Amino acid sequence: YAPWCPACQQIEATWESFAKESERLGITVGKVDVTQEPGLSGRFFVTTLPTIYHANDGVFRRYRGSRTLEDLQGYILERKWEAVEPVAGWKSPSSIMMHGMAGLFHFSGWIRQIHNYLTGTLGVHVWISYAIFILATLLIGLFLGL
């Protein structure tokens, strides 16, 4: 979820109720703020918010059903998740490919922090910051090419 997302705000009360029922259902319920954890956003290939996953014994399934408390509970109690196709091996959050994707998201966050430091703290003009990143990209490419 993301705090600014209207759909996430709409499901928040339902999700909190579902989390309170988690012990009775024999599951663990959590939520992750993708603005604070961009690596997980990349690892789980989050393209829409909110995105709900069911994980059991290292097998991940994306929940695409109704987002009412009754339907979420039914998904678990009636074991409806067994009929859902697991996430493909290469797209699984535990795969090497998605581990690399998480690294790219972390790297982009690091670049954003540097840009904000240059423009906000040091007062460098935005276009100069862009020029620094362009120059750094070219120099790293030349270095790796040698």
Side-chain angles (χ1 to χ4, degrees), residues 91-135:
K91 283 174 116 178
S92 174
S94 58
S95 72
I96 293 173
M97 179 80 136
M98 291 297 112
H99 184 73
M101 183 72 79
L104 287 174
F105 275 67
H106 279 296
F107 183 65
S108 69
W110 183 68
I111 289 173
R112 187 178 326 116
Q113 286 177 344
I114 292 172
H115 174 72
N116 290 339
Y117 176 75
L118 290 172
T119 58
T121 306
L122 298 181
V124 174
H125 192 275
V126 172
W127 288 105
I128 294 174
S129 176
Y130 292 158
I132 291 169
F133 282 109
I134 291 169
L135 184 61

Side-chain angles (χ1 to χ4, degrees), residues 35-54:
T35 63
Q36 298 298 314
E37 299 292 337
L40 284 177
S41 175
R43 183 172 291 227
F44 281 84
F45 206 66
V46 174
T47 56
T48 59
L49 293 174
T51 300
I52 301 173
Y53 276 95
H54 173 268

Side-chain angles (χ1 to χ4, degrees), residues 16-79:
E16 293 299 324
S17 297
F18 185 54
K20 288 177 185 171
E21 293 289 320
S22 64
E23 189 174 327
R24 182 181 68 81
L25 297 170
I27 60 172
T28 302
V29 175
K31 65 180 182 179
V32 176
D33 181 349
V34 296
T35 63
Q36 298 298 314
E37 299 292 337
L40 284 177
S41 175
R43 183 172 291 227
F44 281 84
F45 206 66
V46 174
T47 56
T48 59
L49 293 174
T51 300
I52 301 173
Y53 276 95
H54 173 268
N56 188 24
D57 295 329
V59 177
F60 296 88
R61 291 174 173 87
R62 186 162 175 194
Y63 177 78
R64 297 181 190 269
S66 171
R67 295 181 177 174
T68 65
L69 180 59
E70 294 77 25
D71 287 333
L72 290 168
Q73 290 173 336
Y75 187 76
I76 301 301
L77 291 172
E78 298 168 22
R79 300 179 70 91

